[in-house]
Amino acid sequence: MLCSSVAFRDARRTLTTTVTLAIFSFCAFASENTSSAERVSRGAYLLHAAGCVACHTDYEHGGTLLAGGRALKTPFGTFYTPNITADPKYGIGNWNKHDFITAMTRGVSPDGTHYYPVFPYTAYSGITADDLSDLWAYLRTVPLSRAPNRKHDVKFPFSIRLANWAWKLMFFRPVTHRTESTHSPEWNRGSYLVTALGHCSECHTPRNLLGATKSKYAYAGTKQGPDGEKVPNITPDRETGIGDWSQSDITWLLQTGFLPDGDVVGSSMADVVEHSTSHLTVDDQSAIAIYLQSLIPIHNSVQTNKEAEQSDVDNW
Ligand code: HEC
Ligand code: HEC
């Protein structure tokens, strides 16, 4: 607005073409900058929604933002997240946007290495191209860190990266997120937040012996979650899931970490709430709740051993 009125006034005063052009190029520059600033701030929001912060920051040992080094214990060994700041030597400063999109959606590094699925590219392959661009724009603005990457401590044969290639052939199908016209916009937004960005299934779905999620039991909980912890059933099954929670019970948990009985959510979900869901808008938190409440209820208890005996899911 301001730019166009300035240009118009100046044109009326019959300034030379050169000056008018100079004003136009300044305006074009300013608007490009505004849109890239918007991209960066959307990217910061998405980074939280997608939980990158909690995995790629070693808060426990005073690590800086996205400098990596956080240990992730799994049945296959311990993984250490890499530095994803734009440092050219220690981070991903030498990458271009295409490299980033390939890593996020195909699980392949610029030198052709196949990533371990502990980096949830299985879910992130469903992130839209626009959102990936915004994430990339934000990553370029994070202060650089010179923290070197730590080698994973993974058991044979999983220590061979080629095994990831075989794993991907068997279990990885990149997802394209589609809007379902039979559902509301809120449901569709919730589906995108839960399945692609929030990768909730990574922890809440049981896995097979090779670590692939069992889609038949999606969100039904598991006794063998990250760090060997139990992860509850979040399908709307009344007895073993969250079927008796109201929509506001769910949004309240995502905002504050409080469960309906007044207790506080613990273990890795506390990190998810602190670094991810509590940063979301109320609309996005409600969209997640709407989507969760629409899931098919699956009877599977992971709460107590007694209840687990009644379970109809063989977790491992
Ligand atoms: C559950 C933990 C986890 C989450 C969440 C996660 N990552 Fe990662 N990420 C990893 C691990 C572990 C690796 C290393 C994989 C390997 O070595 O095969 C990795 C690798 C990467 C790489 C490749 C770095 C390199 O040097 O090759 C990039 C880029 C990356 N992650 C970006 C992201 C972004 C962006 C997000 C959020 C949208 C994210 N990650 C969320 C665990 C995670
Ligand atoms: C890193 C693993 C992890 C991820 C990712 C994760 N969760 Fe959780 N979640 C857990 C664990 C572990 C618990 C149980 C915490 C406890 O024992 O207090 C939990 C608990 C919950 C509960 C409470 C259920 C109950 O019966 O108490 C809800 C609801 C929930 N998660 C929803 C989500 C949603 C929605 C997402 C995605 C935005 C998500 N979780 C992502 C690990 C995870």
Side-chain angles (χ1 to χ4, degrees), residues 198-200 203-204 226 229-232 234 242 245 253-254 259 265-269 272 277 288 292 303:
H199 63 277
C200 317
C203 295
H204 283 279
E229 68 192 359
K230 288 180 183 171
V231 188
I234 52 169
I242 57 169
W245 291 33
L253 166 79
L254 300 174
L259 296 161
V265 86
S267 57
S268 56
M269 192 63 198
V272 173
T277 60
I288 292 179
L292 289 186
Q303 303 300 333

Side-chain angles (χ1 to χ4, degrees), residues 90-167:
Y90 297 98
I92 57 169
N94 287 332
W95 289 27
N96 59 34
K97 190 159 92 176
H98 175 75
D99 294 335
F100 174 68
I101 292 176
T102 309
M104 297 291 292
T105 58
R106 294 288 177 271
V108 181
S109 78
D111 67 6
T113 310
H114 292 276
Y115 291 118
Y116 289 97
V118 61
F119 165 30
Y121 54 82
T122 38
Y124 293 156
S125 64
I127 302 182
T128 63
D130 250 11
D131 282 358
L132 285 168
S133 291
D134 294 348
L135 272 168
W136 174 246
Y138 176 70
L139 281 182
R140 307 312 275 173
T141 68
V142 171
L144 311 191
S145 155
R146 292 172 61 80
N149 287 342
R150 192 166 164 187
K151 218 171 163 290
H152 304 313
D153 183 8
V154 182
K155 294 176 212 152
F156 182 82
F158 303 102
S159 50
I160 309 171
R161 279 206 179 250
L162 203 59
N164 292 334
W165 172 78
W167 188 93

Side-chain angles (χ1 to χ4, degrees), residues 49-51 54-55 70 72 193-195 197-204 219 222 225-226 229-234 240-242 245 249-250 253-254 257-261 263-273 276-277 280 285 288-289 292 303:
C55 261
R70 181 175 166 194
L72 302 166
L193 283 161
V194 168
T195 59
L197 291 170
H199 63 277
C200 317
S201 164
E202 292 292 309
C203 295
H204 283 279
Y219 307 102
T222 170
E229 68 192 359
K230 288 180 183 171
V231 188
N233 180 347
I234 52 169
T240 62
I242 57 169
W245 291 33
D249 285 340
I250 303 176
L253 166 79
L254 300 174
F258 279 106
L259 296 161
D261 64 6
D263 204 353
V264 190
V265 86
S267 57
S268 56
M269 192 63 198
D271 285 341
V272 173
V273 174
S276 180
T277 60
L280 299 180
Q285 290 159 341
I288 292 179
L292 289 186
Q303 303 300 333

Side-chain angles (χ1 to χ4, degrees), residues 7-218:
F8 181 64
R9 236 182 13 243
D10 284 347
R12 279 204 356 188
R13 282 178 198 160
T14 58
L15 276 183
T16 62
T17 320
T18 329
V19 172
T20 315
L21 275 179
I23 291 166
F24 272 124
S25 29
F26 166 76
C27 291
F29 171 77
S31 88
E32 200 172 276
N33 262 8
T34 325
S35 80
S36 75
E38 275 167 19
R39 283 203 162 252
V40 169
S41 83
R42 276 201 300 262
Y45 182 81
L46 291 163
L47 195 91
H48 283 292
C52 326
V53 181
C55 261
H56 281 278
T57 311
D58 188 12
Y59 284 113
E60 203 183 324
H61 302 102
T64 54
L65 184 70
L66 303 181
R70 181 175 166 194
L72 302 166
K73 290 200 189 99
T74 74
F76 311 102
T78 304
F79 294 89
Y80 296 94
T81 52
N83 178 338
I84 56 165
T85 70
D87 185 88
K89 185 165 175 210
Y90 297 98
I92 57 169
N94 287 332
W95 289 27
N96 59 34
K97 190 159 92 176
H98 175 75
D99 294 335
F100 174 68
I101 292 176
T102 309
M104 297 291 292
T105 58
R106 294 288 177 271
V108 181
S109 78
D111 67 6
T113 310
H114 292 276
Y115 291 118
Y116 289 97
V118 61
F119 165 30
Y121 54 82
T122 38
Y124 293 156
S125 64
I127 302 182
T128 63
D130 250 11
D131 282 358
L132 285 168
S133 291
D134 294 348
L135 272 168
W136 174 246
Y138 176 70
L139 281 182
R140 307 312 275 173
T141 68
V142 171
L144 311 191
S145 155
R146 292 172 61 80
N149 287 342
R150 192 166 164 187
K151 218 171 163 290
H152 304 313
D153 183 8
V154 182
K155 294 176 212 152
F156 182 82
F158 303 102
S159 50
I160 309 171
R161 279 206 179 250
L162 203 59
N164 292 334
W165 172 78
W167 188 93
K168 284 162 80 177
L169 268 188
M170 285 192 283
F171 302 117
F172 176 47
R173 303 285 171 269
V175 204
T176 310
H177 201 81
R178 285 195 192 84
T179 303
E180 303 230 7
S181 54
T182 46
H183 287 284
S184 67
E186 292 76 20
W187 182 94
N188 274 291
R189 176 71 182 159
S191 159
Y192 180 59
L193 283 161
V194 168
T195 59
L197 291 170
H199 63 277
C200 317
S201 164
E202 292 292 309
C203 295
H204 283 279
T205 301
R207 290 173 185 271
N208 67 18
L209 283 172
L210 289 172
T213 50
K214 295 178 175 179
S215 51
K216 204 172 151 199
Y217 297 111

